[in-house]
Amino acid sequence: MKIGIDLDNTIISYDKVFKIAAKSFDLISDDWSGNKEKLKSCIRQLPDGEKRWQKLQGYVYSEAIENADAFPGVIRFLWRAKNKGHHVFIISHKTEVAHHDSKINLRNPALRWLKEQQLLPESNLGLIKEILFLSTQKEKIKKINELNLDVMIDDLIEIVEHPLLDNNIDTIHFGESVYSTWPSIENYLLKNIDVEDCYALIRQSSLGNPVSCQTCNEGGNSSVWKIELENSSPVTVKYYINDLSHADRRVTEMHANQIMRKYGIENIPNVLHSNKYLEISVFEHINASTVQCMNESKVDFVSNFIEKLKDVGGEYEVDFPLASAACLCGDDIVKQINSRLSNLQQACENNAELSKFINNALLPTADKIIEWSKLNWPSKQHFNLPIEKTYQILTPSDIGAHNMMEDSDGSIFFIDFEYFGFDDPVKTASDFLLHPKNKIDTKLGKIWVGRMKDLFSDTDADFMQRLAVSWPLYGVCWCLIMLNEFRNTDWQRRKLSKELSEEEHSKVKSEQLNKSAVLLQFIECNYKQFPYL
Ligand SMILES: [Mg+2]
């Protein structure tokens, strides 16, 4: 296959750089948020706006380009495409110099960026066949036709829908809903990660000679493989599926593993190798299987693990960012509910059943619970103010049976630290009770809450009350998480990691809607009287 890819805003992501530059030019306030399109319209509305926007663009595409990132997943796409024998051309409509200032060269900085990412044809990786700069859109279309491409990927609708583009060239509008991320394009053009990809990866690394490999995938956020090596212990390879909202699950997980190991936590996988460009990590393989059900002894393993993490974060004063989706006060949980609701808005427009459930059942219940929770929040703490750092713990965030493994001796290992960071232990305690895979009944829930009380109540006097009034709010969050299957972006991600037909997907959606309704009813019946005391 011959694949053409645009450069600016298709391979190179400028959102972050544009924002930093606009702030330094005093064009927006420090707390401004939004994407490049929003920024463009904001600046154009200022006096002399068009000129200021062009000046900013000139700066970003020249000097500031060195701080720009590749879109998550694009380098791995290029690497896999090359290994599968496809030829990739970068075809960019980029003038030699900036429109507003002929002293600013635009192509040389772009070439330097490509060199830095090892993407030039002559670099070690050599992932790109040729890089072509054209001065006008018309010249770009002519080049795409001349190259007789199979597919052209571009963020500009004017290119993918250009009337002069040959009809036999497939086009992908990058950024458009179905192809909003590189993993979704990877899935469409190259299909799921396969045995050949794993062999190519191991051969290029210095880990050994691969003799067999098999998928051991269970999670939706990654593709996981076990690889047997000649004369060496087997390894686990994890391919992360990053997007702009979780831009680097790999780095978080790698640092989390390093810190835990440093402070003596050993029942976690050891990272052997990690690659930024391919968004993969290689772990020592743990010969164990996923825990299927929770019981009292498993609850003890989890609470012992939390106790150790409490020490790592507290006593050793480890520096680490907040956990992904951390909630340090009641208001943070409400914000998450609202953000999850807005992520489902589009799905609601396309699905009457979902819309009916959200509008007639979930929203009225959520409003009642939020009001009640505010009234009953511990008086010494504030619903809108974060709890003190001394009360926060390091937590994997996503803890439960699905992220625990048990070997033949009954030893338990914890895996998956992509969301790791500081958070309120109340969130960890609530999520453990609510995670559908944990299937916690009232009896086990009481044991778990007892353990958490023993761990935290001495130093955090309001822990139990905060837990009782936060738990139903997290319950509403979980009702919404269960509906993620309705979101198109999540569906693309899941399709990539699992292989699910459209028909199976409809079935899954209907099951999830039922599960969400059951949980909502349980929360509604129990929110005033915490059921795990
Ligand atoms: Mg572009």
Side-chain angles (χ1 to χ4, degrees):
M1 203 165 26
K2 278 188 186 175
I3 305 168
I5 309 179
D6 172 53
L7 183 62
D8 290 329
N9 305 301
T10 302
I11 290 179
I12 310 180
S13 164
Y14 290 99
D15 277 21
K16 185 186 82 188
V17 199
F18 260 108
K19 246 184 276 180
I20 296 171
K23 279 173 194 171
S24 72
F25 284 23
D26 278 333
L27 296 169
I28 50 169
S29 62
D30 279 348
D31 58 354
W32 188 92
S33 73
N35 61 13
K36 191 191 145 215
E37 283 313 303
K38 193 175 159 196
L39 184 73
K40 185 177 175 179
S41 84
C42 248
I43 294 174
R44 276 176 154 177
Q45 280 166 25
L46 299 171
D48 236 357
E50 187 56 42
K51 222 170 165 184
R52 287 166 132 180
W53 171 247
Q54 280 196 11
K55 200 174 163 198
L56 181 72
Q57 260 190 318
Y59 170 73
V60 166
Y61 291 145
S62 56
E63 275 176 69
I65 192 174
E66 63 179 33
N67 299 318
D69 297 318
F71 273 99
V74 68
I75 310 267
R76 186 166 73 210
F77 171 86
L78 298 171
W79 179 82
R80 288 189 64 207
K82 190 192 173 194
N83 284 322
K84 292 187 183 306
H86 304 306
H87 291 163
V88 173
F89 299 83
I90 291 180
I91 309 164
S92 168
H93 161 208
K94 198 187 245 316
T95 49
E96 184 82 46
V97 292
H99 288 298
H100 72 287
D101 186 346
S102 60
K103 291 195 286 296
I104 299 178
N105 186 293
L106 297 178
R107 291 182 183 170
N108 291 340
L111 285 168
R112 275 199 298 275
W113 185 90
L114 288 163
K115 188 178 178 191
E116 186 69 22
Q117 310 289 321
Q118 297 192 47
L119 289 182
L120 292 182
E122 63 272 22
S123 70
N124 282 346
L125 290 174
L127 304 183
I128 305 290
K129 180 102 177 139
E130 206 173 334
I131 294 162
L132 302 144
F133 288 119
L134 290 308
S135 295
T136 65
Q137 262 188 31
K138 212 170 156 190
E139 282 178 33
K140 179 170 174 174
I141 296 294
K142 197 171 153 224
K143 182 55 80 180
I144 295 170
N145 290 341
E146 270 173 23
L147 285 167
N148 199 15
L149 296 178
D150 293 284
V151 58
M152 178 69 203
I153 307 164
D154 203 303
D155 69 301
L156 264 197
I157 190 80
E158 293 93 318
I159 297 292
V160 293
E161 289 185 356
H162 201 286
L164 296 177
L165 198 69
D166 277 354
N167 284 338
N168 52 357
I169 299 175
D170 190 8
T171 54
I172 290 178
H173 182 202
F174 178 65
E176 179 259 342
S177 64
V178 182
Y179 299 113
S180 60
T181 63
W182 271 98
S184 59
I185 296 176
E186 182 183 1
N187 183 39
Y188 170 63
L189 290 177
L190 307 178
K191 311 299 172 209
N192 285 354
I193 283 158
D194 57 32
V195 174
E196 284 311 314
D197 293 316
C198 293
Y199 279 149
L201 173 79
I202 295 294
R203 285 195 194 105
Q204 282 185 22
S205 70
S206 50
L207 291 160
N209 201 15
V211 287
S212 77
C213 76
Q214 67 189 77
T215 176
C216 37
N217 210 40
E218 295 213 25
N221 298 330
S222 53
S223 178
V224 182
W225 293 77
K226 177 188 176 186
I227 303 183
E228 301 273 0
L229 301 172
E230 199 178 72
N231 306 324
S232 184
S233 307
V235 293
T236 299
V237 176
K238 185 168 180 179
Y239 295 80
Y240 297 84
I241 302 172
N242 292 310
D243 51 41
L244 284 176
S245 55
H246 294 105
D248 222 335
R249 299 170 194 266
R250 179 193 65 87
V251 170
T252 307
E253 176 150 78
M254 191 179 62
H255 288 163
N257 280 53
Q258 283 166 349
I259 278 179
M260 286 187 281
R261 289 230 154 226
K262 183 176 171 191
Y263 291 102
I265 297 179
E266 284 178 348
N267 53 341
I268 56 168
N270 199 11
V271 185
L272 301 173
H273 170 83
S274 198
N275 185 311
K276 171 185 166 187
Y277 295 105
L278 300 183
E279 298 174 45
I280 57 125
S281 286
V282 182
F283 301 89
E284 210 172 344
H285 182 74
I286 295 174
N287 193 14
S289 39
T290 306
V291 166
Q292 293 304 322
C293 74
M294 274 293 162
N295 53 31
E296 194 172 340
S297 87
K298 303 275 181 352
V299 163
D300 282 338
F301 273 112
V302 180
S303 53
N304 289 341
F305 184 51
I306 302 276
E307 185 173 9
K308 285 183 196 159
L309 285 172
K310 184 187 171 211
D311 292 344
V312 174
E315 283 177 29
Y316 303 110
E317 294 179 1
V318 161
D319 194 22
F320 209 92
L322 288 178
S324 165
C327 290
L328 301 180
C329 62
D331 198 45
D332 283 348
I333 318 175
V334 175
K335 279 183 189 146
Q336 272 200 29
I337 293 174
N338 290 334
S339 144
R340 292 192 177 280
L341 276 168
S342 86
N343 288 339
L344 282 168
Q345 210 169 2
Q346 209 192 346
C348 275
E349 284 166 22
N350 302 326
N351 191 307
E353 239 187 310
L354 175 71
S355 168
K356 195 174 145 198
F357 170 67
I358 291 205
N359 290 310
N360 300 354
L362 192 136
L363 283 179
T365 305
D367 286 345
K368 260 192 308 195
I369 294 175
I370 293 168
E371 202 179 321
W372 174 85
S373 178
K374 278 182 183 169
L375 280 173
N376 293 282
W377 201 259
S379 54
K380 284 188 206 133
Q381 292 174 343
H382 200 287
F383 192 81
N384 295 324
L385 293 178
I387 53 161
E388 284 172 37
K389 181 78 194 239
T390 48
Y391 297 152
Q392 298 169 25
I393 58 157
L394 278 173
T395 166
S397 231
D398 188 16
I399 198 162
H402 62 297
N403 284 334
M404 290 164 72
M405 302 191 75
E406 183 171 17
D407 71 7
S408 51
D409 303 333
S411 300
I412 296 286
F413 296 86
F414 293 90
I415 57 165
D416 272 359
F417 302 103
E418 298 172 20
Y419 307 114
F420 191 90
F422 277 99
D423 206 339
D424 184 349
V426 156
K427 181 168 192 288
T428 306
S430 302
D431 284 345
F432 185 80
L433 290 169
L434 288 156
H435 199 298
K437 292 218 171 116
N438 287 346
K439 298 189 187 91
I440 303 286
D441 60 16
T442 314
K443 188 179 161 220
L444 203 53
K446 285 181 178 176
I447 295 170
W448 166 252
V449 169
R451 301 280 191 277
M452 294 298 102
K453 185 181 175 193
D454 292 346
L455 269 184
F456 297 106
S457 278
D458 283 351
T459 46
D460 179 357
D462 289 316
F463 175 82
M464 285 304 286
Q465 196 186 340
R466 209 167 64 247
L467 175 61
V469 294
S470 300
W471 168 78
L473 293 175
Y474 287 116
V476 175
C477 278
W478 274 100
C479 290
L480 291 162
I481 293 169
M482 287 171 174
L483 302 173
N484 275 346
E485 287 289 347
F486 286 85
R487 293 175 54 191
N488 197 34
T489 46
D490 281 56
W491 158 230
Q492 292 300 330
R493 197 162 51 82
R494 270 151 220 258
K495 202 157 72 166
L496 173 64
S497 54
K498 271 192 220 160
E499 286 203 0
L500 207 62
S501 69
E502 297 284 341
E503 198 181 303
E504 285 166 324
H505 186 224
S506 290
K507 205 175 139 217
V508 172
K509 283 197 285 193
S510 152
E511 283 167 5
Q512 289 305 109
L513 193 58
N514 285 338
K515 282 185 193 168
S516 179
V518 169
L519 177 62
L520 187 70
Q521 201 183 16
F522 178 69
I523 302 286
E524 188 169 19
C525 294
N526 292 285
Y527 75 94
K528 287 185 180 167
Q529 193 61 52
F530 188 48
Y532 305 109
L533 282 179

